[in-house]
């Protein structure tokens, strides 16, 4: 299964695009728990790319590349914004940050996916999940 | 997401149904605004029909928690499915919020 899309920088596309991806992933044999984790991670990555990366600029696109292969799901989300220092993301579970009403997106992705990497000065995030039943090639 | 409100004793119970996500949190915030302006100080959010929550949903709940705290009010949650509870546990927000297993328990000593 392979999806490559270029989405407009509008949050309105997220609730249409993500369920469509999840429907396709259901056919790849992902468990309910895996689907929940993948949906939340993809949601958070897209919202970050649209809102914080591209700052909802309609002239900028968000690219999404999703592949299920050899029992592994890989999702890459890239924006065209200024990037950010991904080494300085505060830990939202620390006492001083627990009350803050932002800054949990990347943290959730890191907890729900098995491998998370940032590229291109923070403009691109790669998320990997090793699937329980191996997935379909 | 659907939001249904009811009054049980002196608590306002907010029953949420469906997904709580970035596209409908303004609606949730509006419902919370309504409860605050009605002078409600004890608010219970019933999660039994919530199927999904993202970081924006969490942020809206934190906002409501802080608003109620300022007026000596209280916010409690109940009936969370394990997958929703996991999101609160991962982010350690289960330490911040008062989460009861049932509506009856949420109403106790409230």
């Amino acid at each position: 299964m392979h999806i490559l899309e270029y989405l407009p920088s509008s949050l309105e596309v997220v609730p249409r695009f993500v369920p469509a991806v999840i429907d396709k992933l259901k056919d790849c044999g992902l468990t309910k728990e895996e689907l929940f984790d993948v949906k939340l991670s993809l949601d958070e990555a897209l919202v970050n790319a649209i809102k914080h990366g591209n700052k909802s600029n309609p002239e900028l696109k968000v690219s999404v590349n999703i592949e299920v292969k050899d029992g592994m799901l890989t999702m890459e989300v890239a924006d065209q914004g200024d990037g950010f220092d991904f080494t300085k993301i505060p830990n939202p579970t620390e006492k001083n940050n627990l009350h803050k009403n932002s800054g949990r997106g990347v943290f959730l992705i890191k907890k729900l996916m098995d491998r998370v990497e940032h590229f291109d000065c923070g403009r691109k995030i790669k998320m990997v999940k090793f699937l329980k039943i191996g997935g379909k090639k | 997401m659907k939001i249904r409100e009811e009054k049980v004793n002196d608590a306002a119970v907010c029953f949420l149904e469906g997904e709580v996500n970035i596209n409908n949190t303004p609606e949730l915030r509006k419902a919370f605004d309504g409860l605050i302006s009605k002078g409600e100080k004890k608010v219970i959010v019933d999660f039994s029909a919530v199927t999904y929550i993202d970081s924006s949903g969490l942020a809206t709940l934190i906002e409501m928690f802080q608003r109620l705290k300022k007026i000596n009010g209280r916010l409690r949650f109940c009936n969370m499915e394990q997958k929703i509870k996991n999101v609160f546990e991962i982010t350690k927000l289960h330490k911040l919020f008062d989460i009861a297993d049932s509506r009856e328990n949420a109403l106790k000593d409230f």
Side-chain angles (χ1 to χ4, degrees):
Chain A
M1 200 276 293
H2 184 219
I3 297 170
L4 177 61
E5 291 274 353
Y6 295 90
L7 303 174
S9 295
S10 162
L11 290 175
E12 286 173 13
V13 304
V14 180
R16 286 197 300 272
F17 178 73
V18 176
V21 170
I22 296 303
D23 277 348
K24 285 187 182 171
L25 290 174
K26 277 179 193 165
D27 295 339
C28 295
L30 275 76
T31 64
K32 273 187 181 176
E33 291 76 20
E34 285 170 339
L35 288 169
F36 186 89
D37 294 352
V38 168
K39 180 176 157 68
L40 188 45
S41 301
L42 183 58
D43 254 344
E44 298 292 345
L46 286 173
V47 168
N48 280 346
I50 293 169
K51 200 174 158 184
H52 304 299
N54 287 350
K55 299 192 166 47
S56 300
N57 181 343
E59 289 176 9
L60 303 180
K61 296 276 185 201
V62 171
S63 72
V64 188
N65 196 346
I66 301 171
E67 189 174 32
V68 177
K69 198 179 173 187
D70 299 330
M72 196 167 87
L73 165 75
T74 307
M75 302 192 287
E76 291 177 350
V77 174
D79 62 64
Q80 298 178 306
D82 298 330
F84 75 106
D85 187 351
F86 52 85
T87 62
K88 288 184 179 164
I89 302 172
N91 182 346
T93 64
E94 280 176 11
K95 205 181 166 188
N96 291 340
N97 297 330
L98 205 56
H99 288 77
K100 289 186 180 165
N101 52 12
S102 63
R104 288 180 181 81
V106 175
F107 182 83
L108 275 168
I109 294 170
K110 283 182 177 171
K111 291 288 177 184
L112 299 172
M113 300 297 284
D114 295 316
R115 193 189 293 157
V116 178
E117 292 170 276
H118 295 275
F119 299 94
D120 191 21
C121 302
R123 291 180 194 92
K124 178 168 155 183
I125 184 168
K126 180 179 178 182
M127 304 165 278
V128 174
K129 192 152 187 91
F130 301 111
L131 304 175
K132 276 181 191 154
I133 57 157
K136 287 179 191 169
K137 287 184 187 176
Chain B
M1 178 188 56
K2 286 181 188 165
I3 306 170
R4 202 172 66 230
E5 289 166 26
E6 55 183 296
K7 189 89 179 176
V8 182
N9 305 328
D10 58 347
V13 180
C14 214
F15 181 87
L16 308 182
E17 191 180 342
E19 297 195 357
V20 184
N21 58 41
I22 194 158
N23 284 282
N24 56 37
T25 44
E27 206 184 314
L28 182 59
R29 193 172 292 115
K30 204 175 162 189
F32 286 156
D33 283 347
L35 293 175
I36 297 276
S37 42
K38 275 193 267 181
E40 300 290 358
K41 285 192 171 181
K42 294 178 181 180
V43 177
I44 293 171
V45 180
D46 188 330
F47 277 80
S48 50
V50 172
T51 55
Y52 178 83
I53 188 161
D54 66 6
S55 65
S56 165
L58 297 175
T60 310
L61 295 169
I62 293 170
E63 225 177 87
M64 182 58 170
F65 170 81
Q66 287 165 341
R67 290 177 75 184
L68 282 167
K69 206 176 167 187
K70 269 185 198 164
I71 54 168
N72 293 317
R74 292 180 73 183
L75 179 66
R76 262 184 194 173
F77 303 150
C78 67
N79 289 329
M80 262 182 208
E81 236 186 273
Q82 192 52 49
K83 62 183 177 185
I84 303 295
K85 204 181 250 179
N86 283 348
V87 179
F88 284 81
E89 286 171 356
I90 288 169
T91 52
K92 308 277 184 224
L93 287 172
H94 65 299
K95 290 181 178 178
L96 183 72
F97 293 124
D98 194 351
I99 304 173
D101 55 355
S102 66
R103 193 187 280 208
E104 292 69 33
N105 284 341
L107 285 160
K108 267 184 205 165
D109 311 316
F110 194 37

